[in-house]
Amino acid sequence: MELFLNLCVSGLTKGSIYALIALGYTMVYGIIALINFAHGEIYMIGAFTALIFSMALGALGLSGWGLLLACGLLAAVYCAMYGWTLEKIAYKPLRGQSRLAPLISAIGMSIFLQNYVQLVQTPNFLAYPDLIPPLPFAGALSGVATKSQVAIVAATALSMIALTLFIKRTRMGLAMRAVSQDPTMARLSGVNIDRVISSTFVIGSVFAAVGGLLIGCATRQIDSYQGFLAGMKAFTAAVLGGIGSVPGAVIGSLILGFSESFAAGYVSSDYEDVVAFVLLILILTLRPDGIMGSATTQKV
Amino acid sequence: MAQDTQENLPVPPPPAAGAVPVSAFRRLLGELRAAALSAVWFSVLALPLVVFRINSASGRIDYLWGRLPRLAAAAFLATLTWRFLLRRVGFSRVRRAVVEAGGPPPEGARGPEGSWLTLLDRAPAKRAILAAGALLLLSIPFWATPYVVTVMITALIYITLGLGLNIVVGVAGLLNLGYAAFFAVGAYTFALLHANLGLGFWACLPLGALAATLLGLLLGIPILRLSGDYLAIVTLGFAEIVRLVLVNVGFTNGPRGIRNIPPPSLLGIDLNGSVKPLLVPRGLLHADMDLNKVFIYFVILAIVALTVACVFRLENSRLGRAWLALREDEVACQAMGINRTRAKLTAFALGSTWAGLAGVVFASQITFINPQSFTFLTSVMVLSIVVLGGMGSIPGVMIGAVVLILLPEYLREFSDYRMLIFGLIMVVMMVFRPQGIIPSTRRVYIYRPEDHAGAPAGDALPPEGARP
Amino acid sequence: MRTITLSLSLCLAAFVSLSQASPAPAQETLKIGFGGALLGSLASYGLSNLYGIEVAIAKANAAGGVLGRQVELVKEDDSCDPALASSAATKLASQGIRLILGHTCSGATHSALSVYGGKAIVVSSSATDVYLTDSGDNPYFFRTTPRDDAQSSLQVRLLKAKGFTRVALLHDKGDYGKSLAELAEAAIKADPASGITVALVEGVTSGQVSYDAVVAKVKDAGVDAIIWGGYYNDASKLAINLRDRGVGAVIIGADGLYDERYVTMGGSAVEGSFATGQSDISQSAAAQEALAIHRKNHTEETGTYFFYSMAAAEALFAAVEKAGTADDLDLIKTHLTSDTVDTVMGPVRFDAKGDVIGAGFKLYEVKDGKFVEATL
């Protein structure tokens, strides 16, 4: 029973982490139907900038919640800038080209960013400080979940709510929904498509930055290649849930997180990814457009 | 897909006729201002990562302000070039669109007729270049260093892989992100059959291809209903499953891999022992050359020739046309009476065959394989070859493979910057040539009265690149 | 078609220049090749190799070089990929280099060795796979790292001494890590009298965002000790996860764990861990000097394999010096296997298979944030 409970917590945490990254994939895909391969690298850059600012600000005497918020904010701003620049360099000139061209330029960008961070920072693994201050209610949960697990799940839930409100309630959210439904029609109705696309990248990158910071605090180490595996898993989760759909990304992430966790717990950790991918293939065979994806009927 | 191109063309302002120097000066100023702004932007962007460097030994931050001016200068120059090139590319796209629409080439554009490059279009020049290329390829082992031969073998292996994936992605339009799985199956078939049954290269070559084909069929079944990125993710997952099975199953020796995979045998002749002493003194071979490698080189060269011939025939066959139709519009293709299931399955199976062949050669070239050689990155590399070279185009894929495999080897001179530059080049190539180095040309028949003066109608092919 | 022919001719031109890229070997300097992971996710280990070699070369050159010639290092990246290792090795061999230090990973070393054939002396400082020497295929291969199986038997002795009876074997699913776990399992099974049971064998995916599921399983199995097959970075992540969940089992690792960064990254969670590794020579005069030279040129830490790599280079240089030639491989081999050389790791000599003899190899425990020598 305890094992089951622990595996549930582990699955929930893992799923939440994937969800934070998957949101970026799914939003970008929803708007311009592009798999932003370099998104995992944005997450990695988020972790790095947060670490750098925590060291710089820590030396100035900041600590506790102030330090965490300041680092998170700065990392989010920088990731947003990186995401924005990425779109301008690698994707914008390719708009309207065949769908695979931006995919390859995204892969190029991902290779570039990995090596860029490795060159200007370090090829070594770096220790990450635990920036999350003690949580007031953590005592009650102590046997079940750790502080960083609570923080990750809470942050993901908050991000989800904020994003849903943003999409449902703001003008920009409305514009995003319009563009994702029909770009041409949206443009004709006076939506500035460039701005919508840029904001999508910015918002996705902000979530990636939050993810980078929190996962750094949980695993207590980073390196310039950490974005690759996490990015691949998050991308898988986003597709599983129905790419382009925000709740779908979260559901897909949770399914992936739980299935990996239970496969490791009850089958063998050697096959955790095998089980997850077999499940993916099964689900997609039954629901070819993902769990929350809407089946598109093609008319000729 | 293709018709979007013209709608969304970034249309640059048309060059003002007889532009006065003042406006040119103003434009230059504008460019400089944009470059300066971008230099500032990139300096701010790079601040935490480039300037604030974590010193892991002391646990503090080193502030390397000295890096900033260089970075700003680089950003300034790069922006100037970038904007200049983007303008030119945009302009040539407009020109092509105008020419295609039947209009005259815009002022100031150098038409194809004025270029010395047209010399290359003449048939004798073309034939001469192709013959020289073939001769060069055949002669490489006799004058080049072993290093060149090794790199060439890798490039040829990737050409085979690229041509195979081209069937799936380029021709049939099914995005496959798990091509490495079939490559792995070919390599492991050879390695395992050799280690357990003692089978040689020649017996395993068809078996490896067969195993990959069967796996392709197996994968084809669950993906029949899927399309687009859902298909891509399933192929990715499938490849990961194959790789993880190779890591975890006992008989593959897991991550430690399989050693001592033999080279192909040539009628049982000991090449290094008996043939090499004949060639080296005559200056026909580098003294350090391993003749087994040379033989592998010729084997893979023959496989590439075979692949090109087969893929070319396939593309122009009934099945190939069905694939093309599948790529362009699944629903319409079904409506035309094409068996979609069969077209998809054959595309996957026949595409995988070449990966199996390449896998067998790969295993015998590097003599040691472990699952690490068949990761997602391998699939991505092959996909990049196809897209960068030009989807659906055989010469394009060949050039793409040569570029993407040779590039990292060339860039060895830059040591630490090797992969950084490689990534950047991928982006730049895609941005400036999104249709690939050599885009596939669709056969278009245009009626031009002047062509009918004496020439037969079939010759009225338009110049290349007329239709993306 | 024009583009095709144009690109074709460009490619041909590119080729010709690639083949001319290798200049004739210069006679003035003695070229030593290094192949290893300088890029990619395992660059951390390859750079550690490189740093050690650089210091050894700097020292040799300051003392007048080897055979009276200055030593020049030619380094090629293989990213620990067997295919890239093959081309890196061919590039080194093409330049007439007969003395190689490397490669970093066992897999890459396997494929590189098939390229060198019998035409180069290869001294690795981090390839630990037992087959490399045991198979007898590689007569000119030597290594300064302890073999994996030697470490496993020491680990089992530790288990017995501490009275641990329930053990979990965890590894990182990589070639190095999984071998270690398998060898440890074999060593435990070979000694049924010890009463040690293997309760769990699990792998974690290196670089995965959390290891919680495996941690939950370890907690459920109620083990006293964990034998870790893999490197320090995953181990410290695992240790933090374990302690966060209140699992107190002792972590026992091998030379991949014996790295000061394990302690800096793991903090209090890794307190009480054990690792097998080279004898601690960091206080010796030679080691201090080496560290000083390193710090002059780099701000990076030296890494796991720094001293092993330096010792490998020193042993090779000494053998070449004694052989009086850099070309007679058999003579160099004789000197490597028969003469004991004073290196930064202490006196070093190789056995006939190529494994190191004499490099001290001890057990360490993390105490108060430091690795200190432990006694059984």
Side-chain angles (χ1 to χ4, degrees):
Chain A
M1 192 56 211
E2 200 200 341
L3 177 64
F4 177 78
L5 199 67
N6 283 337
L7 290 177
C8 283
V9 173
S10 141
L12 185 66
T13 323
K14 228 176 186 176
S16 307
I17 294 172
Y18 292 155
L20 272 179
I21 309 171
L23 285 177
Y25 280 105
T26 214
M27 282 179 67
V28 167
Y29 191 93
I31 303 287
I32 50 174
L34 158 77
I35 304 172
N36 178 13
F37 242 92
H39 189 65
E41 268 55 60
I42 297 284
Y43 147 78
M44 176 267 293
I45 285 176
F48 262 93
T49 40
L51 173 62
I52 289 166
F53 281 120
S54 82
M55 289 168 85
L57 296 176
L60 295 178
L62 210 58
S63 66
W65 283 105
L67 183 61
L68 180 70
L69 289 178
C71 292
L73 205 66
L74 282 167
V77 168
Y78 263 96
C79 274
M81 284 162 68
Y82 268 94
W84 188 85
T85 315
L86 180 75
E87 196 268 330
K88 287 282 172 288
I89 293 178
Y91 307 138
K92 196 175 174 206
L94 285 170
R95 245 179 253 163
Q97 295 293 340
S98 94
R99 285 207 9 244
L100 285 182
L103 180 70
I104 302 301
S105 107
I107 292 168
M109 218 52 203
S110 155
I111 296 176
F112 172 80
L113 287 175
Q114 276 172 4
N115 284 277
Y116 158 72
V117 172
Q118 179 167 13
L119 262 176
V120 298
Q121 285 292 328
T122 172
N124 286 325
F125 299 93
L126 288 176
Y128 214 92
D130 186 3
L131 295 171
I132 306 169
L135 298 173
F137 47 85
L141 287 165
S142 63
V144 189
T146 61
K147 184 183 68 180
S148 50
Q149 283 174 330
V150 174
I152 286 171
V153 175
T156 309
L158 283 178
S159 309
M160 263 296 298
I161 294 170
L163 183 63
T164 314
L165 286 179
F166 176 81
I167 290 180
K168 293 261 148 88
R169 296 281 165 86
T170 61
R171 272 183 77 82
M172 182 50 86
L174 185 69
M176 281 179 177
R177 277 182 288 152
V179 173
S180 96
Q181 275 177 13
D182 191 334
T184 320
M185 201 56 217
R187 192 167 49 185
L188 290 177
S189 327
V191 174
N192 184 342
I193 295 213
D194 279 346
R195 260 187 61 198
V196 171
I197 294 176
S198 293
S199 344
T200 314
F201 272 87
V202 163
I203 294 169
S205 305
V206 167
F207 287 125
V210 175
L213 170 62
L214 289 178
I215 296 158
C217 293
T219 60
R220 307 279 276 286
Q221 63 177 270
I222 51 169
D223 70 297
S224 56
Y225 282 83
Q226 69 171 9
F228 176 73
L229 190 67
M232 194 177 90
K233 285 287 174 60
F235 162 52
T236 309
V239 179
L240 180 63
I243 192 152
S245 141
V246 171
V250 177
I251 291 175
S253 302
L254 288 177
I255 291 181
L256 198 68
F258 273 101
S259 66
E260 273 178 20
S261 197
F262 282 109
Y266 291 118
V267 186
S268 158
S269 56
D270 287 344
Y271 288 96
E272 56 178 344
D273 291 342
V274 175
V275 172
F277 283 119
V278 167
L279 194 72
L280 171 89
I281 294 179
L282 282 180
I283 291 179
L284 286 186
T285 316
L286 297 175
R287 283 192 64 89
D289 292 294
I291 295 168
M292 300 290 280
S294 50
T296 43
T297 320
Q298 251 191 335
K299 286 176 226 151
V300 186
Chain B
M1 243 181 254
Q3 53 269 45
D4 290 354
T5 322
Q6 289 174 28
E7 285 173 21
N8 295 336
L9 275 174
V11 182
V20 279
V22 176
S23 88
F25 179 67
R26 196 168 282 164
R27 217 166 65 198
L28 183 70
L29 260 183
E31 289 294 311
L32 288 177
R33 200 174 132 258
L37 273 178
S38 113
V40 172
W41 173 258
F42 277 102
S43 304
V44 175
L45 198 61
L47 206 59
L49 284 167
V50 177
V51 177
F52 303 176
R53 186 174 173 283
I54 298 169
N55 185 331
S56 50
S58 70
R60 285 208 205 87
I61 304 255
D62 295 336
Y63 296 92
L64 310 170
W65 294 104
R67 284 171 164 184
L68 206 55
R70 267 180 297 165
L71 184 115
F76 184 80
L77 290 178
T79 313
L80 274 186
T81 345
W82 181 265
R83 288 175 63 98
F84 174 71
L85 290 175
L86 262 188
R87 224 168 239 281
R88 280 194 56 142
V89 168
F91 186 64
S92 76
R93 273 182 210 158
V94 170
R95 174 164 62 80
R96 199 183 300 147
V98 172
V99 172
E100 267 172 40
E107 275 304 297
R110 194 170 53 165
E113 294 77 23
S115 160
W116 59 274
L117 289 172
T118 44
L119 279 179
L120 293 175
D121 277 340
R122 304 218 174 118
K126 231 168 8 194
R127 257 182 249 137
I129 286 178
L130 287 179
L135 206 67
L136 185 79
L137 280 178
L138 284 172
S139 69
I140 281 178
F142 302 107
W143 51 263
T145 58
Y147 171 59
V148 173
V149 175
T150 306
V151 175
M152 257 326 269
I153 295 175
T154 314
L156 289 168
I157 287 176
Y158 274 86
I159 289 182
T160 317
L161 287 173
L163 288 172
L165 186 65
N166 186 38
I167 296 180
V168 188
V169 178
V171 182
L174 307 164
L175 181 53
N176 186 343
L177 284 179
Y179 201 58
F182 307 106
F183 188 38
V185 165
Y188 268 92
T189 307
F190 179 29
L192 288 173
L193 286 179
H194 172 75
N196 296 318
L197 303 173
L199 290 187
F201 177 87
W202 295 110
C204 292
L205 195 62
L207 288 176
L210 185 71
T213 312
L214 291 178
L215 196 75
L217 274 179
L218 187 74
L219 170 63
I221 294 163
I223 57 138
L224 277 176
R225 288 178 60 202
L226 301 174
S227 60
D229 297 292
Y230 296 100
L231 188 131
I233 201 75
V234 166
T235 54
L236 186 156
F238 182 77
E240 280 297 294
I241 293 173
V242 169
R243 189 182 66 83
L244 290 166
V245 167
L246 291 177
V247 169
N248 290 320
V249 168
F251 63 85
T252 60
N253 204 17
R256 289 157 82 179
I258 303 176
R259 299 167 293 124
N260 293 338
I261 302 167
S265 66
L266 178 64
L267 307 169
I269 302 173
D270 175 13
L271 288 170
N272 280 326
S274 57
V275 181
K276 197 174 164 186
L278 299 176
L279 293 174
V280 173
R282 297 192 170 83
L284 282 173
L285 202 67
H286 195 283
D288 287 337
M289 187 78 82
D290 179 357
L291 259 189
N292 286 320
K293 286 273 147 70
V294 175
F295 186 49
I296 294 178
Y297 174 80
F298 284 117
V299 168
I300 184 70
L301 199 61
I303 290 180
V304 166
L306 177 83
T307 315
V308 171
C310 286
V311 171
F312 184 75
R313 298 291 301 160
L314 268 176
E315 260 181 35
N316 291 305
S317 69
R318 206 182 156 74
L319 191 60
R321 301 286 160 102
W323 289 337
L324 279 177
L326 190 72
R327 175 181 77 183
E328 294 304 322
D329 195 321
E330 255 186 58
V331 179
C333 126
Q334 252 182 324
M336 295 302 288
I338 291 168
N339 185 339
R340 193 179 62 150
T341 311
R342 222 185 66 185
K344 267 194 183 178
L345 280 181
T346 46
F348 258 94
L350 288 177
S352 314
T353 313
W354 306 108
L357 281 181
V360 175
V361 180
F362 176 77
S364 92
Q365 185 215 354
I366 67 165
T367 72
F368 168 85
I369 53 167
N370 64 6
Q372 225 187 330
S373 297
F374 310 102
T375 55
F376 178 52
L377 279 178
T378 317
S379 306
V380 163
M381 196 71 176
V382 185
L383 183 69
S384 308
I385 284 172
V386 174
V387 180
L388 223 116
M391 283 210 294
S393 140
I394 296 175
V397 170
M398 295 171 77
I399 303 277
V402 170
V403 168
L404 277 194
I405 298 303
L406 290 194
L407 205 57
E409 294 295 332
Y410 262 108
L411 295 175
R412 277 187 186 279
E413 306 295 322
F414 295 88
S415 64
D416 293 353
Y417 294 88
R418 184 166 67 105
M419 293 314 280
L420 184 89
I421 299 173
F422 180 69
L424 210 56
I425 289 180
M426 273 173 85
V427 176
V428 170
M429 277 171 84
M430 254 7 306
V431 167
F432 291 108
R433 216 167 157 84
Q435 71 278 41
I437 302 175
I438 303 177
S440 77
T441 46
R442 184 70 61 77
R443 252 174 234 203
V444 184
Y445 297 92
I446 299 175
Y447 178 77
R448 285 204 208 105
E450 65 268 26
D451 290 337
H452 283 267
D459 269 7
L461 294 183
E464 106 7 82
R467 280 269 165 202
Chain C
M1 194 62 205
R2 174 160 27 99
T3 338
I4 301 178
T5 35
L6 187 66
S7 339
L8 256 181
S9 27
L10 277 180
C11 274
L12 297 183
F15 246 143
V16 177
S17 71
L18 183 69
S19 53
Q20 286 168 344
S22 62
Q27 277 310 306
E28 309 83 55
T29 57
L30 178 65
K31 282 192 180 174
I32 303 278
F34 167 71
L38 300 176
L39 296 173
S41 51
L42 294 167
S44 169
Y45 310 109
L47 284 171
S48 166
N49 290 146
L50 181 66
Y51 293 151
I53 294 166
E54 280 177 353
V55 170
I57 289 179
K59 274 184 76 177
N61 282 344
V66 176
L67 300 174
R69 287 148 71 182
Q70 290 286 299
V71 178
E72 183 191 343
L73 184 69
V74 182
K75 51 184 184 183
E76 292 296 344
D77 164 59
D78 68 12
S79 301
C80 274
D81 172 352
L84 267 180
S86 176
S87 71
T90 326
K91 177 141 199 210
L92 289 172
S94 282
Q95 298 173 54
I97 296 172
R98 297 272 173 276
L99 305 168
I100 309 282
L101 294 162
H103 292 217
T104 308
C105 299
S106 298
T109 310
H110 273 302
S111 83
L113 280 173
S114 82
V115 171
Y116 299 129
K119 287 178 293 195
I121 296 264
V122 182
V123 188
S124 172
S125 39
S126 51
T128 53
D129 187 354
V130 289
Y131 287 127
L132 281 166
T133 50
D134 278 1
S135 66
D137 295 335
N138 312 308
Y140 297 116
F141 175 75
F142 303 90
R143 63 172 156 213
T144 51
T145 37
R147 289 160 55 99
D148 290 347
D149 50 356
Q151 315 202 46
S152 302
S153 59
L154 188 58
Q155 288 169 342
V156 174
R157 270 170 47 214
L158 172 71
L159 292 178
K160 280 198 279 190
K162 293 278 171 191
F164 295 139
T165 50
R166 273 179 77 77
V167 181
L169 303 176
L170 303 183
H171 59 82
D172 64 0
K173 301 186 186 172
D175 53 353
Y176 167 72
K178 202 168 178 189
S179 302
L180 274 174
E182 282 167 2
L183 288 166
E185 190 173 13
I188 291 171
K189 296 246 165 86
D191 190 6
S194 63
I196 302 171
T197 47
V198 176
L200 200 66
V201 184
E202 294 290 336
V204 296
T205 309
S206 183
Q208 177 68 279
V209 288
S210 97
Y211 296 154
D212 286 339
V214 168
V215 167
K217 232 172 154 177
V218 170
K219 190 177 186 186
D220 194 56
V223 296
D224 314 315
I226 294 163
I227 291 187
W228 167 249
Y231 296 106
Y232 64 89
N233 56 313
D234 291 313
S236 69
K237 209 192 275 191
L238 186 72
I240 291 169
N241 272 244
L242 282 167
R243 303 300 178 247
D244 274 356
R245 315 288 303 169
V247 182
V250 174
I251 298 173
I252 302 168
D255 56 338
L257 192 71
Y258 181 51
D259 187 313
E260 60 203 35
R261 281 175 285 185
Y262 176 59
V263 184
T264 41
M265 290 189 344
S268 61
V270 302
E271 195 68 17
S273 304
F274 287 90
T276 56
Q278 66 184 63
S279 46
D280 181 19
I281 40 113
S282 60
Q283 297 312 313
S284 76
Q288 287 297 327
E289 189 196 343
L291 289 172
I293 297 174
H294 171 78
R295 284 199 201 103
K296 247 190 285 173
N297 300 320
H298 299 284
T299 54
E300 298 291 328
E301 288 151 284
T302 51
T304 322
Y305 297 108
F306 179 74
F307 290 119
Y308 292 114
S309 309
M310 190 174 161
E314 285 176 323
L316 182 65
F317 294 160
V320 170
E321 192 71 65
K322 277 189 196 137
T325 166
D327 300 313
D328 187 345
L329 300 188
D330 285 308
L331 194 59
I332 298 173
K333 177 177 176 167
T334 320
H335 284 289
L336 278 170
T337 49
S338 58
D339 303 343
T340 304
V341 182
D342 258 331
T343 68
V344 67
M345 281 167 63
V348 159
R349 182 166 77 80
F350 298 93
D351 67 13
K353 287 193 297 183
D355 283 315
V356 68
I357 305 172
F361 176 43
K362 297 208 172 78
L363 191 68
Y364 294 91
E365 185 181 0
V366 181
K367 262 194 189 148
D368 304 322
K370 259 205 192 89
F371 272 111
V372 293
E373 202 176 318
T375 43
L376 283 175

